[in-house]
Amino acid sequence: MSCLGFSGMRRALCFVTAGIITGMAGVPSFAYEFPKVEDFTTICMVTSNDELCDATKLHFKSDWQNAIAGSYEAQRNIAFCLSTGCDGAVTVNPVDACAWRMVIQASPAKRQDTELQSYRQDCKLSNIDRRKALALAEEMYQAIYNKQMPVEKLLRN
């Protein structure tokens, strides 16, 4: 059960309900389930770039599994594809791209120098979308690293 779509009192009630359903009354449920990779990939059209699109989809699917297992490089690739579409193989999703950039910024991985710029670029969203990205990033981080996301790392950037 995801409480992502709620805020304020409704989100709190959702967490309590989720705790009751899972037998942990009053304890938030962190059983975030990552969407299927197919939710993000497109149907490659018959064009001169069809083979490139198909190859990119295969790479994205592999990166997806590695990203949710904690691979920094795979997380970067997923964020990039969600922000650019990667040769038409992936549906552009700015909120999810930003969420992955937040996970990367908060992660214990040693980051490349360009990562902060990518984070700032991909997270240029409306306040509402940025809040959605943050809520999603917190759930993803918990699922990947089995601990709360250190949001203070994002505040420094």
Side-chain angles (χ1 to χ4, degrees), residues 38-52:
E38 290 80 13
D39 293 345
F40 298 100
T41 56
T42 63
I43 297 172
C44 296
M45 299 298 178
V46 180
T47 64
S48 60
N49 288 331
D50 192 38
E51 288 179 15
L52 178 60

Side-chain angles (χ1 to χ4, degrees), residues 4 11 21 36-37 44 59 62 77 84 87 109 112 125 142:
L4 178 63
R11 186 172 179 144
I21 290 170
K36 295 177 184 167
V37 70
C44 296
H59 191 68
S62 173
N77 293 343
T84 66
D87 304 312
Q112 293 184 5
L125 304 171
Q142 175 71 36

Side-chain angles (χ1 to χ4, degrees), residues 44-79:
C44 296
M45 299 298 178
V46 180
T47 64
S48 60
N49 288 331
D50 192 38
E51 288 179 15
L52 178 60
C53 180
D54 285 334
T56 302
K57 272 175 55 173
L58 286 174
H59 191 68
F60 183 81
K61 288 178 181 182
S62 173
D63 279 338
W64 184 258
Q65 294 306 313
N66 292 327
I68 62 179
S71 166
Y72 162 71
E73 288 296 327
Q75 291 171 353
R76 288 186 73 226
N77 293 343
I78 294 298

Side-chain angles (χ1 to χ4, degrees), residues 5-19:
F6 302 105
S7 62
M9 182 58 82
R10 286 185 180 169
R11 186 172 179 144
L13 289 173
C14 178
F15 278 130
V16 170
T17 303

